[in-house]
């Protein structure tokens, strides 16, 4: 049995999103009996029974695909082993549910927690990622999940809303559609059901390899009975027309005839009809039913009451461009901010009934209740009601009443103004313990700069609130402490190695350089900011900008006189920071401006070792071409070859050897490259080093020799390879 601490550590490392929140939301939207036609169909029965089966349910926006997929999950929960059921919902509302990696992390987590006999596979991935100090690459997630499925046996997988996934067709294994095809082509006993709109890329991919009967369109009248039943049930709940069957029949008839297979369209019309208090208003609405979802959303915006318009705009700006759903208390405080008044935020301006915030936008938003697994409490989120709503709001088709306010740059500028106004006015509450009384503070601190980057790129100017925030030491420190940007966007293992107590407090210039606020950097420099001030874990503004690859900011700092070879921070200098991260343009710029290519210091000692560890072959080649010493000693890995070998970067190992790297050079944590590679677990790198003359019994380093390094993690293939090449099974050494 695994301890709860181990399970928690793996989950924290994987950081899987929780698909059950989408499942519960969809189930609450499901009307009893709908979808039964599919659950009782021949196609579904065949899918559940046949080995290695596949189904694609596709349909127009709003036809009920997600609700139908939730019915499938509910049926499988009753008819198959819960240990063999996996599901995931891609979600436009949540940035943590929009990529193939997000899906893989969640599915792997489900298997890890459901099947104890499969945990060793995930543990091996964890150990190969330096015991969780780095995140797995996409290829590793693909490989691990396939291996888990091979061991798991018969498995049912439901993936909803493929069209809400980004990079669906990115390379052979780097995208969703190639991965789905790979699952189908593999010799696995997997029953895979997916849903989506019939987008061209999805259709062309699936139809190129699917078989007859595996593609089901929901646009051919299959859902008509479900929609009619839903309409009848909703009309029956309009109690004011209990004695007017003619009105009920008229509503049912008109909606049924014009639904065109869209549950979403029907739902929006019913919301409007519920507000009709007299027969004339009912008939007026029925005579003017909007023909499409776009027209429906335009009518909703047009009908917002004038006194509600400002709040509706603010709410839709946040929801249309937010990285995650807003908690209801966050939304309430966002509406209470007025950047043009003093004070800009007054708690007395909060709505007395938080849940009434949804009334500003009618059918465009929904309130979603779910349990916070960390605290065990119930939280309420406000979200856009449907993917089609988000698409409409950010399109050029949006109604003129909100077109200017919802334009991308304008909307993001307003979000920045609201967030910073909130932080500035609440900065006097300078202890994090008091942020329970300022629920928007964490969102504001974490995301304002992301929006501000887009605004500055578009407008070529600094918002007055950004200037004020950076000018206020109290406000800036309050916001920075809340989001801790270096931990949020840096490598956690870097921050841990750098350690508390060795960091200088971040300056506004450092922060602006790190996040890429070009015009803010320019403004701060013009105001006299110390360009080389020691600041943050990356030492100074130039190293911070270099670590993030902000070429224009790096250029600006250099033009303004930043010391290109300034020492300090985790990487010791800007070139090493850019080299580690693989920012080729920044590396080239720094070299062109005179950066010392062989400058020593820091965890990786020099730029070549940092680049070799980071894994960008082109940066390694660039450094070698510019005269980097291939055998320079120093740092935790001793030399570049050992760093690349430890990380399993085969092409870089070959490149370094071709450029004269000493295969048996001693030094560093692992003593030599072969021991580092044996510990890292890449068999091909170990073979390459042996072929190039690595001493299989070389002594030194943490584990004494390569065989003990491989044995420490149970890398059986490498152990056998070393023994086959003469490793001394009785050799002593190590700590």
């Amino acid at each position: 049995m695994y301890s709860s601490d181990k399970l928690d550590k793996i989950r924290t490392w994987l950081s899987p999103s929780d698909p059950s929140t989408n499942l519960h939301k969809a189930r609450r939207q499901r009307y009893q009996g709908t979808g039964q036609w599919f659950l009782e169909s021949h196609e579904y029965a065949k899918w559940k029974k046949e080995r290695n089966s596949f189904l694609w349910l596709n349909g127009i926006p709003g036809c009920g695909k997600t609700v139908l997929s939730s019915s499938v999950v509910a049926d499988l929960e009753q008819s198959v082993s819960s240990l063999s059921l996996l599901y995931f919902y891609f979600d436009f509302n949540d940035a943590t549910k929009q990529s193939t990696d997000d899906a893989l992390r969640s599915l792997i987590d489900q298997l890890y927690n459901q099947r104890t006999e499969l945990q060793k596979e995930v543990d091996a991935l964890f150990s190969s990622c330096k015991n969780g100090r780095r995140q797995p690459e996409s290829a590793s997630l693909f490989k691990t999940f396939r291996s888990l499925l091979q061991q798991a046996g018969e498995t049912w997988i439901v993936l909803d809303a493929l069209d809400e996934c980004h990079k669906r067709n990115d390379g052979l294994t780097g995208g969703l559609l190639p991965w789905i095809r790979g699952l189908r082509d593999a010799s696995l006993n997997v029953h895979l059901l997916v849903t989506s709109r019939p987008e061209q890329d999805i259709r062309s991919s699936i139809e190129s390899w699917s078989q007859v009967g595996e593609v089901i369109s929901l646009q051919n009248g299959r859902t008509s009975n479900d929609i009619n039943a839903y309409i009848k049930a909703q009309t029956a709940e309009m109690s004011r027309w209990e004695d007017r069957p003619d009105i009920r029949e008229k509503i049912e008839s008109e909606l049924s005839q014009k639904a065109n297979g869209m549950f979403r369209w029907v739902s929006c019309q019913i919301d409007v009809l519920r507000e009709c208090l007299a027969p004339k208003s009912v008939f007026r609405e029925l005579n003017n039913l909007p023909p499409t979802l776009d027209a429906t959303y335009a009518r909703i915006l047009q009908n917002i009451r004038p006194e509600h318009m400002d709040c509706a705009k603010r709410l839709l700006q946040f929801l249309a461009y937010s990285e995650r759903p807003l908690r209801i208390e966050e939304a309430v405080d966002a509406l209470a901010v007025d950047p043009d008044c003093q004070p800009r935020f007054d708690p007395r301006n909060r709505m007395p009934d938080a849940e009434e915030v949804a009334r500003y936008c009618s059918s465009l938003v929904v309130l979603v209740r779910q349990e916070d697994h960390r605290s065990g409490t119930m939280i309420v989120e406000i979200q856009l009601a449907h993917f089609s709503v988000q698409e409409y709001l950010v399109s050029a088709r949006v109604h003129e009443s909100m077109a200017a306010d919802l334009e991308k740059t304008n909307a993001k500028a307003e979000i920045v103004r609201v967030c910073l106004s909130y932080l500035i006015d609440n900065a006097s509450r300078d202890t994090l313990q008091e942020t329970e009384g300022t629920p928007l503070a964490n969102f504001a601190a974490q995301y304002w700069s992301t929006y501000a980057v887009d605004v500055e790129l578009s407008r070529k100017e600094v918002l007055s609130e950004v200037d004020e925030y950076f000018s206020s030491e109290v406000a800036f420190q309050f916001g920075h402490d809340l989001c801790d940007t270096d931990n949020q966007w840096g490598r956690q293992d870097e921050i841990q190695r750098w350690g508390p107590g060795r960091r200088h407090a971040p300056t506004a210039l450092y922060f602006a350089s790190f996040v890429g606020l070009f015009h803010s950097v320019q403004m701060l420099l013009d105001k006299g900011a110390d360009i080389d001030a020691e600041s943050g874990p990356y030492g100074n503004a130039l190293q911070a900008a270099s670590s993030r690859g902000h070429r224009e900011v790096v250029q600006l700092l250099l033009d303004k006189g930043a010391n290109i070879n300034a020492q300090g921070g985790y990487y010791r200098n800007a070139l090493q920071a850019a080299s580690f991260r693989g920012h080729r343009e920044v590396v080239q710029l720094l070299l062109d401006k005179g950066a010392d290519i062989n400058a020593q210091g820091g965890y990786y000692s020099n730029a070549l070792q940092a680049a070799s560890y980071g894994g960008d072959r082109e940066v390694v080649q660039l450094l070698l071409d510019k005269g980097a010493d291939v055998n320079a000693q120093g740092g935790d890995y001793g030399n570049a070859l050992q760093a690349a070998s430890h990380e399993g970067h085969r092409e870089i190992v070959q490149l370094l050897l071709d450029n004269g790297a000493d295969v048996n050079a001693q030094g560093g944590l692992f003593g030599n490259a072969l021991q580092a590679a044996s510990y890292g677990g890449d068999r091909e790198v170990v073979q390459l080093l042996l072929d190039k003359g690595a001493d299989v019994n070389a002594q030194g380093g943490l584990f004494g020799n390569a065989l003990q390094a491989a044995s420490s993690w149970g890398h059986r293939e490498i152990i056998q390879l070393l023994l086959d090449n003469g490793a001394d099974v009785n050799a002593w050494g190590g700590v």
Side-chain angles (χ1 to χ4, degrees):
M1 291 294 291
Y2 278 59
S3 69
S4 59
D5 287 346
K6 179 64 178 295
L7 295 173
D8 289 344
K9 181 179 286 189
I10 294 292
R11 167 158 282 208
T12 299
W13 167 66
L14 275 175
S15 299
S17 54
D18 182 6
S20 68
T21 58
N22 302 83
L23 178 65
H24 298 327
K25 175 184 175 183
R27 285 179 175 174
R28 285 191 292 269
Q29 295 174 332
R30 178 177 180 264
Y31 175 68
Q32 184 178 4
T34 56
Q36 203 62 34
W37 64 269
F38 176 68
L39 299 180
E40 295 174 354
S41 69
H42 168 72
E43 295 95 331
Y44 181 63
K46 181 180 179 183
W47 174 80
K48 288 175 67 176
K49 184 177 180 180
E50 282 194 355
R51 181 184 177 89
N52 198 29
S53 57
F54 173 79
L55 279 179
W56 174 37
L57 307 182
N58 66 82
I60 59 177
C63 70
K65 299 180 292 294
T66 294
V67 174
L68 184 56
S69 71
S70 74
S71 299
V72 170
V73 173
D75 177 72
L76 293 173
E77 287 176 337
Q78 299 297 319
S79 58
V80 305
S81 169
S82 61
L83 301 180
S84 302
L85 171 61
L86 309 174
Y87 63 90
F88 186 79
Y89 290 74
F90 294 99
D91 186 354
F92 75 97
N93 268 313
D94 191 339
T96 68
K97 297 178 180 178
Q98 294 174 1
S99 73
T100 311
D101 278 11
D102 293 334
L104 284 166
R105 287 172 185 271
S106 178
L107 297 171
I108 289 171
D109 177 69
Q110 291 175 51
L111 281 170
Y112 188 82
N113 285 276
Q114 292 170 188
R115 306 283 290 271
T116 57
E117 71 274 17
L118 304 180
Q119 291 178 339
K120 289 184 178 179
E121 191 76 28
V122 183
D123 291 342
L125 178 62
F126 179 75
S127 66
S128 72
C129 291
K130 314 309 172 221
N131 286 333
R133 293 196 303 274
R134 74 176 190 191
Q135 288 298 306
E137 297 178 350
S138 296
S140 297
L141 291 171
F142 282 111
K143 181 179 179 181
T144 298
F145 184 63
R146 178 172 293 197
S147 179
L148 289 171
L149 290 180
Q150 288 173 336
Q151 298 175 57
E154 190 170 21
T155 308
W156 287 262
I157 304 175
V158 177
L159 302 176
D160 181 71
L162 304 187
D163 48 296
E164 295 179 38
C165 172
H166 299 321
K167 296 183 179 179
R168 298 191 292 260
N169 206 8
D170 185 19
L172 294 176
T173 60
L176 178 67
L177 298 176
W179 170 57
I180 289 175
R181 177 170 187 172
L183 287 179
R184 181 61 190 274
D185 290 344
S187 55
L188 303 169
N189 191 5
V190 172
H191 309 271
L192 178 61
L193 183 146
V194 302
T195 76
S196 78
R197 302 179 187 187
E199 301 287 1
Q200 179 57 37
D201 63 322
I202 299 175
R203 177 177 292 281
S204 61
S205 174
I206 292 178
E207 289 186 346
S208 70
W209 51 263
S210 60
Q211 301 174 8
V212 175
E214 293 182 337
V215 176
I216 298 178
S217 172
L218 304 182
Q219 297 169 222
N220 55 9
R222 292 177 185 257
T223 61
S224 297
N225 291 337
D226 283 353
I227 291 176
N228 292 339
Y230 173 72
I231 294 171
K232 190 174 186 66
Q234 296 300 311
T235 306
E237 293 179 4
M238 298 180 186
S239 57
R240 67 172 59 95
W241 309 122
E242 187 174 357
D243 297 327
R244 292 292 304 271
D246 59 319
I247 292 180
R248 286 186 171 180
E249 289 174 6
K250 179 68 172 175
I251 292 173
E252 292 172 12
S253 174
E254 291 294 325
L255 295 184
S256 178
Q257 289 178 24
K258 299 176 181 179
N260 195 27
M262 291 183 288
F263 273 98
R264 174 70 187 148
W265 181 90
V266 170
S267 176
C268 290
Q269 313 317 320
I270 287 174
D271 285 344
V272 173
L273 292 168
R274 283 199 185 100
E275 301 301 315
C276 294
L277 305 181
K280 284 187 178 180
S281 60
V282 172
F283 295 133
R284 182 176 63 250
E285 294 297 339
L286 290 176
N287 288 333
N288 293 282
L289 289 173
T292 64
L293 280 177
D294 270 13
T296 298
Y297 298 149
R299 186 177 71 168
I300 292 171
L301 295 181
Q302 191 173 10
N303 290 340
I304 293 174
R305 294 164 60 177
E307 63 270 26
H308 291 169
M309 184 60 74
D310 287 344
C311 286
K313 288 178 180 177
R314 172 77 55 77
L315 190 59
L316 293 177
Q317 285 170 335
F318 268 81
L319 296 182
Y321 293 100
S322 178
E323 292 290 312
R324 64 165 175 80
L326 285 179
R327 292 193 177 191
I328 193 168
E329 58 270 20
E330 294 174 330
V332 166
D333 273 18
L335 296 185
V337 173
D338 187 343
D340 297 317
C341 289
Q342 289 295 334
R344 286 164 284 201
F345 172 74
D346 187 337
R348 292 175 297 181
N349 291 331
R350 288 171 172 153
M351 298 173 62
D353 184 350
E355 295 202 4
E356 287 190 330
V357 70
R359 296 182 62 180
Y360 286 120
C361 301
S362 184
S363 303
L364 300 180
V365 301
V366 292
L367 297 181
V368 178
R369 290 171 172 79
Q370 58 190 34
E371 184 180 356
D372 185 336
H373 296 298
R374 290 172 295 182
S375 65
T377 59
M378 188 63 66
I379 62 173
V380 182
E381 293 179 344
I382 184 166
Q383 304 177 6
L384 294 177
H386 195 265
F387 189 23
S388 59
V389 177
Q390 198 257 0
E391 289 180 310
Y392 173 74
L393 293 177
V394 302
S395 74
R397 310 185 306 273
V398 69
H399 191 267
E400 61 183 8
S401 63
M402 284 201 184
D405 296 280
L406 288 173
E407 187 275 325
K408 181 179 180 180
T409 301
N410 292 339
K412 291 189 174 185
E414 185 66 10
I415 294 172
V416 173
R417 296 187 69 211
V418 169
C419 288
L420 291 185
S421 295
Y422 191 85
L423 291 174
I424 292 168
D425 274 22
N426 282 293
S428 58
R429 300 182 180 189
D430 56 3
T431 61
L432 297 182
Q433 287 78 9
E434 295 185 26
T435 57
E436 289 185 5
T438 56
L440 185 62
N442 283 292
F443 178 95
Q446 184 175 356
Y447 293 111
W448 79 263
S449 59
T450 303
Y451 297 116
V453 169
D454 289 341
V455 174
E456 288 195 5
L457 284 173
S458 177
R459 295 188 175 182
K460 313 298 182 187
E461 64 181 19
V462 180
L463 295 172
S464 61
E465 288 80 9
V466 175
D467 187 353
E468 182 181 358
Y469 178 72
F470 281 142
S471 299
S472 170
E473 183 177 343
V474 173
F476 172 70
Q477 195 59 52
F478 175 65
H480 188 273
D481 287 347
L482 279 171
C483 75
D484 195 1
T485 310
D486 295 311
N487 275 320
Q488 177 189 346
W489 288 334
R491 284 171 53 95
Q492 186 64 35
D493 55 316
E494 292 171 8
I495 307 304
Q496 289 172 347
R497 290 178 188 139
W498 180 243
R502 297 180 63 191
R503 296 171 55 176
H504 294 271
T507 64
L509 179 63
Y510 173 93
F511 179 89
S513 301
F514 185 77
V515 300
L517 289 167
F518 176 88
H519 294 282
S520 290
V521 170
Q522 193 169 48
M523 178 266 296
L524 290 166
L525 291 172
D526 290 344
K527 286 187 171 185
D530 183 352
I531 198 169
D532 290 321
E534 292 188 75
S535 177
Y538 298 107
N540 53 60
L542 181 62
Q543 190 179 141
S546 299
S547 75
R548 297 293 297 169
H550 300 309
R551 188 190 184 283
E552 292 77 12
V553 175
V554 172
Q555 180 75 65
L556 174 62
L557 291 168
L558 292 173
D559 290 345
K560 293 290 186 177
N563 182 355
I564 197 170
N565 291 311
Q567 295 294 297
Y570 178 73
Y571 292 108
R572 299 304 293 170
N573 57 64
L575 180 62
Q576 195 179 137
S579 298
F580 175 85
R581 296 283 186 166
H583 299 309
R584 285 162 250 177
E585 290 188 359
V586 175
V587 171
Q588 184 70 65
L589 173 62
L590 292 168
L591 291 171
D592 291 344
K593 293 292 185 177
D596 183 354
I597 197 169
N598 289 311
Q600 296 293 301
Y603 187 77
Y604 300 104
S605 180
N606 56 68
L608 182 62
Q609 188 179 142
S612 299
Y613 184 95
D616 192 300
R617 188 187 186 282
E618 290 186 34
V619 171
V620 173
Q621 183 69 69
L622 174 60
L623 292 168
L624 290 169
D625 291 344
K626 293 291 185 177
D629 182 355
V630 73
N631 287 309
Q633 296 294 301
D636 272 28
Y637 291 96
N639 54 62
L641 182 63
Q642 191 179 138
S645 299
H646 178 264
E647 292 300 290
H649 299 313
R650 285 162 250 174
E651 289 189 358
I652 294 175
V653 170
Q654 183 69 63
L655 177 62
L656 293 170
L657 291 169
D658 291 344
N659 280 268
D662 182 355
V663 73
N664 288 310
Q666 296 295 301
L669 183 64
F670 296 98
N672 55 68
L674 183 62
Q675 187 180 143
S678 299
Y679 177 86
D682 192 301
R683 187 187 186 283
E684 291 186 34
V685 171
V686 172
Q687 183 69 68
L688 174 60
L689 293 169
L690 290 169
D691 291 344
K692 294 294 184 176
D695 182 354
V696 74
N697 288 310
Q699 295 295 300
L702 181 64
F703 294 96
N705 55 63
L707 185 60
Q708 290 195 155
S711 300
S712 69
W713 284 113
H715 298 314
R716 296 181 182 178
E717 289 188 359
I718 294 176
I719 292 171
Q720 187 62 59
L721 177 61
L722 293 170
L723 291 172
D724 291 344
N725 280 269
D728 183 356
V729 73
N730 294 311
W732 286 75
V735 295

